[in-house]
Amino acid sequence: MNETRDTVRQAVVLVSAIVAVVGAFIGSGAAGGTPIQDAAGGALAADATPIAPGGPAFAIWTPIYAGLLAYAVWQSLPKQRADERQRRLGYPIAVSLILNAAWILSIQFGFLAASVPIIAGLLVVLVWAFRITLASRPKNLVETIVADGTVGLYLGWVCVATAANITALLVASGFRGFGLGADAWAVVIVAVAGLVGVLVAIRGNGRLAPAVSLSWGLAWVAVARLTGDLLSAPAGIAAIVAVVVVVFVTVALRIRNSRSAGSPKVVSA
């Protein structure tokens, strides 16, 4: 009975990964569709809101999708079938993949309002998966990269994407900011994103992957605001400060925990 359940789980993760990658291919516009940044009336374009990342930021999806595909294949191997860690991690990753595809569809069909609860749900699921990776150590370097590393990159980027998505909906809905200017709101939202990065670093004892992708996203927010079509020096400077703080806290915690733990055989991502 357990073997059947494990086989089903492995198949679900693998199929979900294929669905998500196909959805990403369509969403990129490579199949003749509308690129995400141009869909939904351009609400997610690099110059649509003060915290929209610059276009090159989305290159982070390449290692994320590569990691997700690698994990889907790796976890489907017989050796991982009855692995307790994969039993707990498999379905959260599968759900995140389906939500990812659903988010792309919502944007492609112009349902910007629907995209926010979807990406919020994706963020919650990734927090769940991240907590699972924290509960036990990976067994080897391969698992560290394809499981822990991929989940971390995925989580860090989706933190930034969620903030950008919510802001895009507010701007598209005509939100006036209760008297605060766009620059002030941008600084507040970037500060919140930076705080989330610090909390993830603390909870993850200096995990590098979430900090890398979250900092990558915020760095491209800074580039877009300081050199792009929608200029905002306050937002750009706030994003730079957030990146510095997140990286500093993550590295400091990483060094401290490495020293206190000695030299573990497998280093978590």
Side-chain angles (χ1 to χ4, degrees):
M1 190 66 176
N2 283 339
E3 184 175 352
T4 300
R5 290 176 180 173
D6 289 333
T7 302
V8 170
R9 183 200 74 243
Q10 290 177 306
V12 168
V13 174
L14 189 58
V15 171
S16 299
I18 294 171
V19 169
V21 170
V22 171
F25 181 74
I26 295 172
S28 69
T34 305
I36 288 294
Q37 62 268 27
D38 297 328
L44 298 175
D47 58 353
T49 72
I51 67 159
F58 297 93
I60 192 69
W61 278 116
T62 298
I64 291 174
Y65 279 124
L68 288 168
L69 272 176
Y71 174 78
V73 173
W74 174 82
Q75 64 83 42
S76 68
L77 299 175
K79 191 173 182 180
Q80 273 65 252
R81 183 167 297 145
D83 184 271
E84 190 59 38
R85 199 171 191 247
Q86 308 320 314
R87 283 174 171 169
R88 289 182 287 130
L89 191 58
Y91 280 116
I93 289 183
V95 172
S96 78
L97 288 162
I98 297 303
L99 286 172
N100 193 329
W103 182 84
I104 291 173
L105 284 175
S106 69
I107 296 298
Q108 285 292 338
F109 285 102
F111 300 142
L112 187 61
S115 71
V116 169
I118 292 173
I119 201 169
L122 174 58
L123 180 59
V124 170
V125 171
L126 289 175
V127 169
W128 175 23
F130 185 64
R131 293 188 64 179
I132 292 171
T133 66
L134 295 177
S136 59
R137 298 189 68 85
K139 295 178 293 299
N140 50 52
L141 181 60
V142 173
E143 184 176 0
T144 298
I145 295 172
V146 302
D148 298 49
T150 298
V151 168
L153 281 178
Y154 201 1
L155 173 62
W157 172 254
V158 170
C159 286
V160 177
T162 301
N165 200 165
I166 292 173
T167 304
L169 176 61
L170 291 174
V171 170
S173 301
F175 178 66
R176 300 300 180 188
F178 302 117
L180 290 177
D183 286 345
W185 272 108
V187 170
V188 170
I189 295 171
V190 167
V192 170
L195 177 60
V196 169
V198 170
L199 293 176
V200 170
I202 294 172
R203 183 66 182 86
N205 293 319
R207 289 282 179 104
L208 298 177
V212 167
S213 54
L214 190 146
S215 297
W216 169 267
L218 289 177
W220 278 104
V221 171
V223 171
R225 297 294 73 79
L226 296 175
T227 64
D229 293 331
L230 181 60
L231 297 176
S232 173
I237 293 171
I240 292 172
V241 171
V243 169
V244 172
V245 171
V246 170
V247 171
F248 176 81
V249 172
T250 301
V251 172
L253 287 169
R254 184 79 171 189
I255 293 172
R256 187 196 69 179
N257 288 313
S258 296
R259 288 175 177 173
S260 63
S263 300
K265 293 181 179 180
V266 179
V267 179
S268 299

